[in-house]
Amino acid sequence: MQPFSQTEPIIVLDFETTGLYPAKGDRVIEIGAVLLREQKIVDRFQSLVNPGFFVSREIETITGITNAMLSEAPPALEVMGQFVKFLDSHPLVAHNASFDRSFLEAELDHLGKKRPLNFGCTLQIARRLYPDVINYKLETLIRYKNIPVNSQFHRALADAEMAALLWFKIIEDLKSQFGFENITFDLMKKIGKMNKDLAFDLLLKEAEDSRTDQIGTTGNLFG
């Protein structure tokens, strides 16, 4: 695997939540995140989060996170304060990033720290790069790319780690299949927004451009 061209760190994160809609009062119950540098996981963040109310039996079944576990977890304001420090100003990645972004924005609102966020999405990039996959769930893509599974899906840190491994594999495939020399965070975001029907031709063009352009920067978390 060729090294990622950037040395600036990136954070891959995942939330387990009480439901799907923060606007309707759903909250984060677990945070998992990994800090990446040069295609290596160099740091981790994990914590259960007490949402202040009981979660449904369905959520307990899906995640394995019980109300008994959450009753002993620290409150959201405490955990989010620590998590904001871990995030620093790094760019962020998630699988189905719109979901995690909506919850991060909502929890930052509760903390009184609302701000714009800079997200990349492994799901959207995979839709352009792997058009024949049956679905784009994280578990499906992990198995499709033969990435070893050593953890339980639907736990935040495990999902964040597996999304990071998928991010690495996407970078490897972009280099080997299209001849990319330099892959920036902004390029990864751009790929995720490409017209799916034109993605192959657009990726060939981007790869050609990358072989002549200078290495850029990843950008940062805010702005």
Side-chain angles (χ1 to χ4, degrees):
M1 182 183 297
Q2 300 180 57
F4 186 43
S5 61
Q6 302 299 322
T7 59
E8 297 178 67
I10 292 171
I11 287 176
V12 183
L13 61 85
D14 183 80
F15 296 135
E16 300 302 325
T17 66
T18 63
L20 300 177
Y21 307 108
K24 295 182 178 181
D26 286 318
R27 299 294 299 270
V28 169
I29 58 172
E30 187 176 40
I31 299 173
V34 292
L35 179 65
L36 311 184
R37 186 178 287 111
E38 295 182 338
Q39 285 197 272
K40 294 180 181 179
I41 295 174
V42 297
D43 201 2
R44 291 170 171 83
F45 182 99
Q46 188 277 332
S47 180
L48 291 171
V49 183
N50 188 332
F53 53 86
F54 289 119
V55 303
S56 69
R57 180 63 60 86
E58 180 183 8
I59 294 300
E60 286 186 313
T61 301
I62 291 172
T63 65
I65 300 170
T66 66
N67 282 298
M69 294 163 63
L70 293 174
S71 68
E72 300 178 355
L77 291 180
E78 177 182 332
V79 178
M80 286 304 300
Q82 297 168 353
F83 189 47
V84 166
K85 293 179 181 178
F86 182 80
L87 293 179
D88 197 5
S89 60
H90 305 314
L92 305 177
V93 172
H95 194 73
N96 192 15
S98 61
F99 175 86
D100 295 277
R101 179 173 187 155
S102 68
F103 274 94
L104 180 54
E105 288 175 339
E107 294 296 341
L108 288 174
D109 280 347
H110 288 298
L111 194 63
K113 293 185 177 294
K114 184 175 181 178
R115 64 190 82 180
L117 300 167
N118 186 14
F119 262 96
C121 181
T122 49
L123 186 153
Q124 294 300 335
I125 299 169
R127 285 184 186 275
R128 278 72 182 170
L129 192 57
Y130 312 125
D132 298 326
V133 182
I134 188 170
N135 65 59
Y136 292 89
K137 295 178 181 179
L138 179 60
E139 182 174 1
T140 302
L141 290 165
I142 289 292
R143 299 191 189 284
Y144 173 73
K145 298 309 298 182
N146 296 314
I147 297 171
V149 177
N150 299 316
S151 303
Q152 174 187 347
F153 287 97
H154 300 298
R155 289 302 300 266
L157 182 58
D159 282 0
E161 289 178 341
M162 284 186 277
L165 295 177
L166 178 60
W167 176 263
F168 294 155
K169 184 60 178 176
I170 287 170
I171 291 169
E172 179 184 3
D173 287 348
L174 286 168
K175 290 192 172 201
S176 64
Q177 293 178 23
F178 294 94
F180 279 94
E181 292 289 336
N182 306 314
I183 302 177
T184 67
F185 185 78
D186 285 343
L187 173 60
M188 294 289 270
K189 288 176 61 179
K190 184 176 182 179
I191 292 170
K193 297 176 181 178
M194 285 179 175
N195 182 307
K196 287 184 284 187
D197 295 331
L198 303 176
F200 184 84
D201 290 338
L202 292 172
L203 284 167
L204 287 175
K205 179 62 167 60
E206 289 289 343
E208 182 180 355
D209 292 344
S210 81
R211 291 191 287 271
T212 57
D213 290 346
Q214 293 182 345
I215 296 175
T217 60
T218 61
N220 57 37
L221 170 63
F222 309 118

